[in-house]
Amino acid sequence: MSKATQTKSERENLCAEYALGVLPLAERLAFEKQLKDDADLRSLLEAWEIRLAPIGDNYKSVPAPASILSKVESKLFERPDLKLSWWNSIVLWRGLTAGLLASTFGLLVIINNISSPTVQTSPGFIAEIKSETSDLRVAALYESSSQTLRLNRISGAPANTRAFELWLIAGDQPPISLGVLPEKKEFRISLSPELSAKLVQNALFAISDEPEDGSPTGQPTGAVLAVGQIAKI
Amino acid sequence: MADRQAFARLYDHTSSKLFAVCLRILNNRADAEDALQEIYVKIWKKSSTFALSEHSPMSWLVVIARNHCIDVVRARKPISGDIEDTYDVADDSPSPESAAINRSDGRRIDQCLAELEKKHADAVTAAYMDGYSYQELAEKYAVPVNTMRTWLRRSLAKLKDCLEQ
């Protein structure tokens, strides 16, 4: 089944059934495969997941055996292939804390816990640089302590013989090139102190479509494909 | 170390909820413990994508946990002839969830479920909470699979309309 041969209501039904969980294994697997390169299907599914999520509030908590945490930790932190940097989790963690506080799970103790050494010593900025018209999505996190910008291209690839170039736009100054995005998805850029100083709240990141070696003029020459506001963490 | 600490806090605040999901759907403690480990590995690997989703954090975690458990339970070999023992085929007493729905404590989802025919609402809730397949629900309610599919598709469409009102 592909997007072309499915009607809108078939796609809607499949998403609803997958989110509810009732499909047999073969249909689940086929759907999961289709999800991988069908962004529209992913957003239909997410809408269904969110719609049905309140039913899950009925799951009554059951304490998990203490031994599980250490087993998972050894899987996660003693295997280099799974090792991820803390910023991958920090956005989730921050969101979770806010979510917990806003819900019946609210525990004041979390407020104290969130001032972890990591958060205290690495204040910075995050941004989601997202296209309105394509699947281009890049997550950015700037760590003040190391003046490093970490980027994760979650989806989207440049057209053949073209490249994505990243720009910092501070106030009404002209865009400053931060370079062409490499092929690999996760990468980091060290910023000079001058550039770091420009990374103030309300600055913007933008990604433009450029020749493979980047803009020849030092200013964007192709279409601006995606923008993202920088927010303090 | 920061990773480990962040992870331990995430685990502390979420594992009892996710373990409940595993136990409920897998209905077996050893399988639930294995599943919980795999779910946290998935959560950790996927955590960078969370920032870009519209989910609340807990609902995102529950979705990952449910999907994992349902994949596990669907891949299990069917236990032939055991259906009668496993499911209360003729049990008409409301489940705790449908009892909650009948109380209608003001949540929109419960109000919308209450607008469905009772057995349809029960089937939707049982599917979500217990991870039942169409096949299992059909057996539980003693109707053909296609009938169950029609029930649930209609119910889901009605739910959507109601929730969007």
Side-chain angles (χ1 to χ4, degrees):
Chain A
M1 271 286 186
S2 70
K3 194 171 175 175
T5 59
Q6 282 171 329
T7 65
K8 195 167 171 291
S9 74
E10 277 170 349
R11 288 163 65 79
E12 187 79 37
N13 277 334
L14 265 179
C15 288
E17 291 172 312
Y18 182 85
L20 187 61
V22 286
L23 293 176
L25 185 64
E27 286 182 52
R28 276 183 77 76
L29 296 178
F31 180 81
E32 284 166 8
K33 197 172 162 210
Q34 195 190 341
L35 269 184
K36 285 202 172 85
D37 37 36
D38 190 337
D40 173 64
L41 197 66
R42 286 197 297 275
S43 51
L44 269 183
L45 173 63
E46 186 169 278
W48 270 107
E49 289 169 347
I50 291 169
R51 228 168 257 144
L52 297 176
I55 301 177
D57 293 348
N58 292 315
Y59 287 112
K60 298 285 173 264
S61 296
V62 181
S67 60
I68 293 183
L69 175 60
S70 57
K71 285 184 192 161
V72 182
E73 282 183 325
S74 65
K75 278 187 192 173
L76 287 177
F77 303 113
E78 286 155 29
R79 277 181 50 186
D81 57 320
L82 287 180
K83 197 157 167 49
L84 295 174
S85 40
W86 63 269
W87 80 269
N88 271 331
S89 66
I90 209 74
V91 179
L92 172 65
W93 172 242
R94 284 174 52 83
L96 183 70
T97 308
L100 288 170
L101 289 173
S103 76
T104 51
F105 289 85
L107 298 167
L108 287 176
V109 68
I110 303 168
I111 296 175
N112 300 323
N113 284 349
I114 195 170
S115 325
S116 71
T118 306
V119 178
Q120 275 174 350
T121 56
S122 299
F125 299 88
I126 52 170
E128 179 194 0
I129 312 163
K130 190 179 169 189
S131 167
E132 296 290 320
T133 52
S134 75
D135 65 345
L136 177 59
R137 279 172 135 185
V138 176
L141 179 131
Y142 174 74
E143 267 179 38
S144 305
S145 58
S146 58
Q147 300 193 332
T148 303
L149 185 63
R150 299 182 182 204
L151 293 138
N152 181 2
R153 182 159 51 85
I154 288 151
S155 60
N160 201 17
T161 74
R162 302 293 291 176
F164 290 147
E165 187 158 351
L166 179 66
W167 306 87
L168 175 67
I169 305 169
D172 40 18
Q173 299 171 33
I176 303 162
S177 174
L178 298 179
V180 167
L181 302 192
E183 253 178 63
K184 64 176 180 177
K185 303 235 167 193
E186 292 191 42
F187 53 98
R188 54 180 72 192
I189 302 171
S190 290
L191 297 188
S192 66
E194 296 74 43
L195 276 179
S196 295
K198 292 187 189 291
L199 254 178
V200 290
Q201 201 155 6
N202 296 323
L204 288 176
F205 286 121
I207 293 172
S208 67
D209 170 48
E210 300 294 341
E212 254 175 321
D213 298 327
S215 162
T217 67
Q219 285 294 300
T221 59
V224 173
L225 303 173
V227 288
Q229 190 95 36
I230 295 169
K232 207 170 196 160
I233 55 170
Chain B
M1 245 2 251
D3 277 351
R4 245 183 143 115
Q5 287 168 2
F7 180 75
R9 279 200 303 278
L10 173 77
Y11 183 91
D12 279 351
H13 288 110
T14 58
S15 58
S16 57
K17 182 85 170 177
L18 301 190
F19 192 51
V21 173
C22 297
L23 276 176
R24 183 75 182 253
I25 295 178
L26 297 173
N27 208 11
N28 171 310
R29 203 168 171 96
D31 286 356
E33 291 182 10
D34 287 349
L36 191 64
Q37 289 183 44
E38 287 163 32
I39 287 163
Y40 275 100
V41 172
K42 278 190 183 170
I43 288 170
W44 197 244
K45 287 163 84 173
K46 287 182 167 197
S47 54
S48 65
T49 65
F50 165 73
L52 306 179
S53 83
E54 308 280 326
H55 276 285
S56 80
M58 192 49 105
S59 86
W60 186 77
L61 298 176
V62 169
V63 164
I64 293 177
R66 285 187 69 249
N67 279 336
H68 180 85
C69 292
I70 290 170
D71 283 339
V72 169
V73 92
R74 291 285 174 279
R76 274 182 191 161
K77 284 205 164 77
I79 307 162
S80 56
D82 214 18
I83 292 294
E84 297 291 323
D85 297 335
T86 316
Y87 306 110
D88 301 325
V89 172
D91 184 0
D92 285 334
S93 64
S95 63
E97 291 79 33
S98 61
I101 291 160
N102 294 339
R103 275 201 309 278
S104 190
D105 54 6
R107 295 194 319 155
R108 190 69 193 141
I109 187 84
D110 294 335
Q111 291 164 358
C112 290
L113 282 166
E115 286 182 13
L116 302 176
E117 203 176 312
K118 190 184 166 305
K119 64 183 173 185
H120 295 180
D122 285 349
V124 169
T125 313
Y128 195 91
M129 295 295 291
D130 296 283
Y132 291 146
S133 64
Y134 271 136
Q135 181 70 40
E136 288 166 326
L137 287 166
E139 283 160 12
K140 189 171 155 65
Y141 286 85
V143 294
V145 174
N146 280 341
T147 306
M148 182 53 72
R149 199 156 192 159
T150 308
W151 280 13
L152 289 196
R153 283 188 162 189
R154 280 194 195 143
S155 301
L156 288 164
K158 280 185 191 164
L159 267 186
K160 182 183 177 212
D161 288 345
C162 174
L163 289 168
E164 284 174 356
Q165 265 171 26

